[in-house]
Amino acid sequence: MTNISVPTSLGTTRPSARSARKRSSIAHDRGAVLLLFLPPALVLFTLFVILPMGEAAWYSLYKWNGYGTPTEFIGFRNFEVLFRNGAFTQALVNNGLIILISIGIQVPLAIWLSTMLAHRIPGVVAFRLIFFLPYVLADVAAGLIWRFVYDGDYGLFAAISNFFGFANPYVLADKDVAIYAVLGVIVWKYFGFHMMLFIAGLQAVDKSVLEAAEIDGATGWQKFRYVTLPLLGSTLRLSIFFAVIGSLQLFDMIMPLTGGGPSNSTQTMVTFLYTYGVMRMQVGLGSAVGVVLFVICVTLAFGYKRIFMRND
Protein backbone atom coordinates (compact mmCIF):
# COMPACT_ATOMS: atom_id res chain seq x y z
CA MET A 1 0.00 0.00 0.00
CA THR A 2 1.10 3.52 -0.66
CA ASN A 3 1.30 6.07 2.16
CA ILE A 4 -1.10 8.98 1.96
CA SER A 5 0.60 12.27 2.91
CA VAL A 6 -2.44 14.54 2.73
CA PRO A 7 -3.13 14.70 6.50
CA THR A 8 0.49 15.57 7.14
CA SER A 9 0.41 18.47 4.70
CA LEU A 10 -2.82 19.74 6.16
CA GLY A 11 -1.39 19.50 9.64
CA THR A 12 1.55 21.68 8.62
CA THR A 13 -0.43 24.28 6.72
CA ARG A 14 -3.13 24.93 9.29
CA PRO A 15 -0.80 26.35 12.04
CA SER A 16 1.01 28.50 9.47
CA ALA A 17 -2.32 29.89 8.28
CA ARG A 18 -3.34 30.64 11.86
CA SER A 19 0.00 32.33 12.58
CA ALA A 20 -0.34 34.41 9.41
CA ARG A 21 -3.81 35.53 10.45
CA LYS A 22 -2.49 36.32 13.94
CA ARG A 23 0.36 38.42 12.52
CA SER A 24 -2.09 40.22 10.27
CA SER A 25 -4.35 40.94 13.24
CA ILE A 26 -1.42 42.27 15.31
CA ALA A 27 -0.30 44.49 12.43
CA HIS A 28 -3.85 45.79 12.02
CA ASP A 29 -4.09 46.56 15.75
CA ARG A 30 -0.74 48.37 15.68
CA GLY A 31 -1.85 50.40 12.69
CA ALA A 32 -5.05 51.38 14.47
CA VAL A 33 -3.11 52.42 17.58
CA LEU A 34 -0.71 54.51 15.47
CA LEU A 35 -3.55 56.21 13.64
CA LEU A 36 -5.27 56.96 16.94
CA PHE A 37 -2.36 58.28 19.01
CA LEU A 38 0.31 59.45 16.54
CA PRO A 39 -1.47 62.45 14.93
CA PRO A 40 -2.23 64.25 18.26
CA ALA A 41 1.36 63.66 19.40
CA LEU A 42 2.73 65.00 16.12
CA VAL A 43 0.48 68.06 16.31
CA LEU A 44 1.58 68.87 19.86
CA PHE A 45 5.25 68.22 19.04
CA THR A 46 5.01 70.48 15.99
CA LEU A 47 3.25 73.28 17.86
CA PHE A 48 5.46 73.30 20.94
CA VAL A 49 8.84 72.10 19.62
CA ILE A 50 9.28 72.32 15.85
CA LEU A 51 7.64 75.73 15.30
CA PRO A 52 9.39 77.47 18.25
CA MET A 53 12.73 76.11 17.07
CA GLY A 54 12.05 77.34 13.55
CA GLU A 55 11.04 80.77 14.85
CA ALA A 56 14.17 81.00 16.99
CA ALA A 57 16.35 80.13 13.99
CA TRP A 58 14.54 82.78 11.92
CA TYR A 59 14.78 85.50 14.60
CA SER A 60 18.50 84.79 15.03
CA LEU A 61 19.07 86.20 11.53
CA TYR A 62 17.58 89.60 12.47
CA LYS A 63 18.43 92.48 14.74
CA TRP A 64 15.16 92.70 16.66
CA ASN A 65 14.03 94.02 20.02
CA GLY A 66 10.86 91.93 20.21
CA TYR A 67 8.41 94.66 19.12
CA GLY A 68 6.63 94.56 15.78
CA THR A 69 7.88 92.42 12.93
CA PRO A 70 11.63 91.83 12.49
CA THR A 71 12.78 93.67 9.38
CA GLU A 72 16.52 94.37 9.83
CA PHE A 73 18.10 91.27 8.34
CA ILE A 74 21.73 90.85 9.42
CA GLY A 75 22.41 87.21 8.50
CA PHE A 76 24.82 85.42 10.81
CA ARG A 77 26.10 88.59 12.49
CA ASN A 78 24.36 87.67 15.75
CA PHE A 79 26.42 84.49 15.90
CA GLU A 80 29.61 86.46 15.22
CA VAL A 81 28.78 88.89 18.01
CA LEU A 82 27.90 85.98 20.26
CA PHE A 83 31.20 84.14 19.97
CA ARG A 84 33.14 87.39 20.36
CA ASN A 85 31.27 88.18 23.57
CA GLY A 86 33.38 87.44 26.64
CA ALA A 87 30.31 86.77 28.78
CA PHE A 88 29.10 84.05 26.40
CA THR A 89 32.55 82.50 26.27
CA GLN A 90 32.53 82.44 30.07
CA ALA A 91 29.08 80.84 29.98
CA LEU A 92 30.40 78.07 27.71
CA VAL A 93 33.34 77.50 30.05
CA ASN A 94 31.01 77.40 33.07
CA ASN A 95 28.74 74.86 31.39
CA GLY A 96 31.76 72.70 30.62
CA LEU A 97 32.96 73.03 34.22
CA ILE A 98 29.53 72.05 35.54
CA ILE A 99 29.55 68.96 33.31
CA LEU A 100 33.01 67.97 34.56
CA ILE A 101 32.04 68.43 38.21
CA SER A 102 28.79 66.53 37.67
CA ILE A 103 30.60 63.57 36.11
CA GLY A 104 33.74 63.70 38.25
CA ILE A 105 32.25 64.40 41.71
CA GLN A 106 28.47 64.17 41.68
CA VAL A 107 28.15 60.77 40.00
CA PRO A 108 30.97 59.07 41.99
CA LEU A 109 29.53 60.46 45.22
CA ALA A 110 26.12 59.07 44.27
CA ILE A 111 27.65 55.64 43.52
CA TRP A 112 29.51 55.59 46.83
CA LEU A 113 26.43 56.46 48.87
CA SER A 114 24.22 54.07 46.92
CA THR A 115 26.51 51.12 47.73
CA MET A 116 25.98 51.85 51.44
CA LEU A 117 22.27 52.62 51.28
CA ALA A 118 21.20 49.81 48.95
CA HIS A 119 21.34 47.28 51.79
CA ARG A 120 18.45 46.65 54.15
CA ILE A 121 19.84 48.03 57.38
CA PRO A 122 18.05 49.88 60.21
CA GLY A 123 17.39 53.52 59.32
CA VAL A 124 18.37 53.19 55.67
CA VAL A 125 15.07 54.64 54.44
CA ALA A 126 15.58 57.76 56.57
CA PHE A 127 19.09 58.27 55.16
CA ARG A 128 17.80 57.84 51.60
CA LEU A 129 15.15 60.45 52.29
CA ILE A 130 17.67 62.89 53.77
CA PHE A 131 19.97 62.64 50.77
CA PHE A 132 17.10 62.78 48.26
CA LEU A 133 15.34 65.79 49.83
CA PRO A 134 17.56 68.43 48.15
CA TYR A 135 16.46 67.16 44.75
CA VAL A 136 12.78 67.39 45.74
CA LEU A 137 13.30 71.03 46.74
CA ALA A 138 12.47 73.51 43.97
CA ASP A 139 15.51 74.96 42.21
CA VAL A 140 14.45 78.53 42.92
CA ALA A 141 13.96 77.76 46.61
CA ALA A 142 17.36 76.06 46.76
CA GLY A 143 18.99 79.10 45.18
CA LEU A 144 17.37 81.45 47.66
CA ILE A 145 18.33 79.26 50.62
CA TRP A 146 21.97 79.05 49.59
CA ARG A 147 22.08 82.75 48.82
CA PHE A 148 21.26 83.33 52.48
CA VAL A 149 23.78 80.66 53.57
CA TYR A 150 26.53 82.36 51.56
CA ASP A 151 25.55 85.86 52.75
CA GLY A 152 28.68 87.59 54.02
CA ASP A 153 26.88 89.54 56.76
CA TYR A 154 24.12 87.35 58.16
CA GLY A 155 24.54 83.92 56.55
CA LEU A 156 25.77 80.63 57.96
CA PHE A 157 29.23 81.07 56.49
CA ALA A 158 29.51 84.49 58.15
CA ALA A 159 28.45 83.04 61.51
CA ILE A 160 31.04 80.25 61.28
CA SER A 161 33.76 82.71 60.27
CA ASN A 162 32.91 85.02 63.15
CA PHE A 163 32.94 82.10 65.58
CA PHE A 164 36.51 81.19 64.58
CA GLY A 165 37.60 84.83 64.37
CA PHE A 166 37.97 85.05 60.60
CA ALA A 167 36.88 87.91 58.35
CA ASN A 168 33.39 87.67 56.84
CA PRO A 169 33.53 85.75 53.53
CA TYR A 170 31.63 87.43 50.70
CA VAL A 171 31.65 84.34 48.54
CA LEU A 172 29.04 85.36 45.98
CA ALA A 173 30.62 88.80 45.54
CA ASP A 174 34.01 87.42 44.52
CA LYS A 175 34.12 86.67 40.80
CA ASP A 176 36.96 84.20 41.30
CA VAL A 177 35.12 82.16 43.94
CA ALA A 178 31.42 82.52 43.08
CA ILE A 179 31.39 79.80 40.42
CA TYR A 180 32.83 77.27 42.89
CA ALA A 181 30.12 78.18 45.39
CA VAL A 182 27.56 77.50 42.65
CA LEU A 183 29.21 74.16 41.85
CA GLY A 184 28.95 73.13 45.49
CA VAL A 185 25.23 73.85 45.47
CA ILE A 186 24.79 71.89 42.23
CA VAL A 187 26.45 68.80 43.71
CA TRP A 188 24.36 69.13 46.89
CA LYS A 189 21.16 69.58 44.91
CA TYR A 190 21.35 66.80 42.34
CA PHE A 191 23.49 63.96 43.67
CA GLY A 192 20.46 62.49 45.48
CA PHE A 193 18.69 61.90 42.17
CA HIS A 194 21.66 59.95 40.80
CA MET A 195 21.98 58.09 44.11
CA MET A 196 18.41 56.80 43.79
CA LEU A 197 19.13 55.68 40.23
CA PHE A 198 22.11 53.64 41.42
CA ILE A 199 20.18 52.22 44.37
CA ALA A 200 17.56 50.95 41.93
CA GLY A 201 20.31 49.49 39.76
CA LEU A 202 22.00 47.80 42.72
CA GLN A 203 18.76 46.23 43.85
CA ALA A 204 18.46 44.60 40.42
CA VAL A 205 21.92 43.01 40.67
CA ASP A 206 21.81 39.24 41.16
CA LYS A 207 23.06 38.57 44.70
CA SER A 208 24.29 35.10 43.73
CA VAL A 209 26.95 36.67 41.49
CA LEU A 210 28.32 38.70 44.41
CA GLU A 211 28.21 35.64 46.66
CA ALA A 212 30.14 33.65 44.08
CA ALA A 213 32.78 36.38 43.87
CA GLU A 214 33.04 36.41 47.67
CA ILE A 215 33.46 32.63 47.77
CA ASP A 216 36.27 32.96 45.22
CA GLY A 217 38.05 35.28 47.67
CA ALA A 218 37.33 38.66 46.05
CA THR A 219 37.78 41.68 48.28
CA GLY A 220 35.13 44.40 48.63
CA TRP A 221 36.91 46.62 46.09
CA GLN A 222 37.35 43.73 43.65
CA LYS A 223 33.66 42.83 43.90
CA PHE A 224 32.74 46.45 43.18
CA ARG A 225 35.29 46.91 40.38
CA TYR A 226 34.80 43.64 38.51
CA VAL A 227 31.22 42.65 39.36
CA THR A 228 29.02 45.49 40.62
CA LEU A 229 30.27 48.31 38.39
CA PRO A 230 29.99 46.35 35.10
CA LEU A 231 26.48 45.26 36.06
CA LEU A 232 25.64 48.93 36.73
CA GLY A 233 26.88 49.93 33.28
CA SER A 234 23.49 50.85 31.81
CA THR A 235 22.51 52.80 34.94
CA LEU A 236 25.86 54.62 34.95
CA ARG A 237 25.50 55.62 31.30
CA LEU A 238 21.97 56.86 31.93
CA SER A 239 23.11 58.85 34.98
CA ILE A 240 25.91 60.52 33.02
CA PHE A 241 23.46 61.35 30.22
CA PHE A 242 21.09 63.05 32.68
CA ALA A 243 24.02 64.90 34.28
CA VAL A 244 25.29 66.28 30.96
CA ILE A 245 21.91 67.38 29.62
CA GLY A 246 20.88 68.84 32.98
CA SER A 247 24.15 70.78 33.21
CA LEU A 248 23.52 72.40 29.85
CA GLN A 249 20.00 73.45 30.86
CA LEU A 250 20.86 74.85 34.30
CA PHE A 251 18.96 78.08 34.95
CA ASP A 252 16.41 78.09 37.80
CA MET A 253 18.93 77.81 40.62
CA ILE A 254 21.54 80.25 39.34
CA MET A 255 19.21 83.20 38.82
CA PRO A 256 18.13 83.57 42.48
CA LEU A 257 21.60 82.56 43.70
CA THR A 258 23.87 84.87 41.70
CA GLY A 259 21.88 86.15 38.71
CA GLY A 260 24.89 85.26 36.56
CA GLY A 261 27.16 87.65 38.45
CA PRO A 262 29.40 89.02 39.66
CA SER A 263 30.76 90.34 36.37
CA ASN A 264 29.15 87.47 34.43
CA SER A 265 31.39 84.97 36.24
CA THR A 266 28.57 82.50 36.91
CA GLN A 267 26.67 82.79 33.64
CA THR A 268 25.50 79.66 31.87
CA MET A 269 24.17 79.59 28.34
CA VAL A 270 20.57 79.67 29.53
CA THR A 271 21.12 82.52 32.02
CA PHE A 272 23.01 84.40 29.30
CA LEU A 273 20.04 83.90 26.96
CA TYR A 274 17.65 85.24 29.60
CA THR A 275 19.87 88.19 30.54
CA TYR A 276 20.61 89.40 27.04
CA GLY A 277 17.65 88.05 25.09
CA VAL A 278 14.83 88.85 27.52
CA MET A 279 16.01 91.41 30.06
CA ARG A 280 17.92 93.54 27.53
CA MET A 281 15.42 92.92 24.72
CA GLN A 282 18.02 91.66 22.25
CA VAL A 283 15.73 88.98 20.89
CA GLY A 284 17.84 88.25 17.82
CA LEU A 285 20.95 87.67 19.92
CA GLY A 286 18.99 85.61 22.44
CA SER A 287 17.57 83.49 19.62
CA ALA A 288 21.10 82.87 18.39
CA VAL A 289 21.99 81.60 21.87
CA GLY A 290 18.96 79.31 21.73
CA VAL A 291 20.07 77.92 18.38
CA VAL A 292 23.60 77.28 19.65
CA LEU A 293 22.27 75.62 22.79
CA PHE A 294 19.88 73.47 20.75
CA VAL A 295 22.65 72.32 18.42
CA ILE A 296 24.93 71.45 21.35
CA CYS A 297 22.20 69.55 23.21
CA VAL A 298 21.05 67.61 20.15
CA THR A 299 24.62 66.77 19.11
CA LEU A 300 25.57 65.56 22.57
CA ALA A 301 22.32 63.67 23.11
CA PHE A 302 22.30 61.78 19.82
CA GLY A 303 26.08 61.32 19.79
CA TYR A 304 26.10 59.96 23.34
CA LYS A 305 23.18 57.63 22.71
CA ARG A 306 24.76 56.48 19.44
CA ILE A 307 28.18 55.79 20.95
CA PHE A 308 27.56 54.77 24.56
CA MET A 309 23.89 53.76 24.82
CA ARG A 310 23.25 51.96 21.56
CA ASN A 311 22.84 48.60 23.33
CA ASP A 312 20.77 49.88 26.29
Side-chain angles (χ1 to χ4, degrees), residues 151-218:
D151 188 275
D153 293 321
Y154 307 105
L156 180 62
F157 273 34
I160 295 173
S161 299
N162 291 333
F163 179 79
F164 289 102
F166 298 119
N168 288 7
Y170 293 92
V171 177
L172 299 181
D174 189 341
K175 66 179 182 179
D176 297 323
V177 180
I179 184 61
Y180 300 105
V182 172
L183 292 174
V185 178
I186 291 171
V187 173
W188 169 85
K189 178 74 171 67
Y190 296 108
F191 85 93
F193 168 75
H194 299 277
M195 181 195 70
M196 296 303 290
L197 283 180
F198 289 118
I199 288 176
L202 286 171
Q203 290 177 342
V205 172
D206 189 358
K207 300 297 185 295
S208 62
V209 179
L210 296 174
E211 292 173 358
E214 189 172 354
I215 292 172
D216 290 339

Side-chain angles (χ1 to χ4, degrees), residues 235-253:
T235 306
L236 177 61
R237 290 187 289 272
L238 182 64
S239 177
I240 292 175
F241 177 76
F242 283 145
V244 171
I245 298 301
S247 299
L248 291 171
Q249 298 173 348
L250 195 63
F251 171 75
D252 293 354
M253 190 172 60

Side-chain angles (χ1 to χ4, degrees), residues 102-120:
S102 298
I103 296 176
I105 295 180
Q106 187 172 272
V107 173
L109 177 63
I111 296 175
W112 176 60
L113 285 173
S114 66
T115 55
M116 294 190 294
L117 299 179
H119 305 291
R120 294 183 178 180

Side-chain angles (χ1 to χ4, degrees), residues 29-271:
D29 293 340
R30 288 179 178 175
V33 170
L34 288 176
L35 289 175
L36 181 63
F37 292 105
L38 189 59
L42 286 177
V43 169
L44 292 175
F45 186 78
T46 302
L47 288 176
F48 296 106
V49 178
I50 300 298
L51 290 180
M53 288 191 309
E55 284 190 340
W58 182 55
Y59 293 152
S60 67
L61 303 177
Y62 290 84
K63 184 178 180 181
W64 186 43
N65 61 3
Y67 295 101
T69 303
T71 56
E72 188 176 348
F73 181 81
I74 59 174
F76 293 99
R77 195 176 307 165
N78 280 324
F79 295 93
E80 296 177 7
V81 172
L82 192 63
F83 285 102
R84 291 177 182 174
N85 191 307
F88 182 73
T89 304
Q90 184 63 48
L92 286 174
V93 172
N94 289 340
N95 275 116
L97 186 59
I98 292 169
I99 291 174
L100 290 177
I101 293 298
S102 298
I103 296 176
I105 295 180
Q106 187 172 272
V107 173
L109 177 63
I111 296 175
W112 176 60
L113 285 173
S114 66
T115 55
M116 294 190 294
L117 299 179
H119 305 291
R120 294 183 178 180
I121 57 177
V124 68
V125 176
F127 282 105
R128 291 179 187 176
L129 179 63
I130 290 172
F131 290 127
F132 188 66
L133 273 178
Y135 179 74
V136 177
L137 191 66
D139 289 359
V140 174
L144 292 173
I145 291 171
W146 279 93
R147 183 172 183 173
F148 176 76
V149 171
Y150 285 135
D151 188 275
D153 293 321
Y154 307 105
L156 180 62
F157 273 34
I160 295 173
S161 299
N162 291 333
F163 179 79
F164 289 102
F166 298 119
N168 288 7
Y170 293 92
V171 177
L172 299 181
D174 189 341
K175 66 179 182 179
D176 297 323
V177 180
I179 184 61
Y180 300 105
V182 172
L183 292 174
V185 178
I186 291 171
V187 173
W188 169 85
K189 178 74 171 67
Y190 296 108
F191 85 93
F193 168 75
H194 299 277
M195 181 195 70
M196 296 303 290
L197 283 180
F198 289 118
I199 288 176
L202 286 171
Q203 290 177 342
V205 172
D206 189 358
K207 300 297 185 295
S208 62
V209 179
L210 296 174
E211 292 173 358
E214 189 172 354
I215 292 172
D216 290 339
T219 63
W221 167 250
Q222 288 174 333
K223 286 192 295 181
F224 174 77
R225 171 65 180 83
Y226 296 106
V227 180
T228 304
L229 195 58
L231 293 175
L232 282 177
S234 59
T235 306
L236 177 61
R237 290 187 289 272
L238 182 64
S239 177
I240 292 175
F241 177 76
F242 283 145
V244 171
I245 298 301
S247 299
L248 291 171
Q249 298 173 348
L250 195 63
F251 171 75
D252 293 354
M253 190 172 60
I254 291 181
M255 291 308 294
L257 184 59
T258 64
S263 301
N264 294 312
S265 61
T266 59
Q267 292 277 15
T268 63
M269 283 188 284
V270 184
T271 61

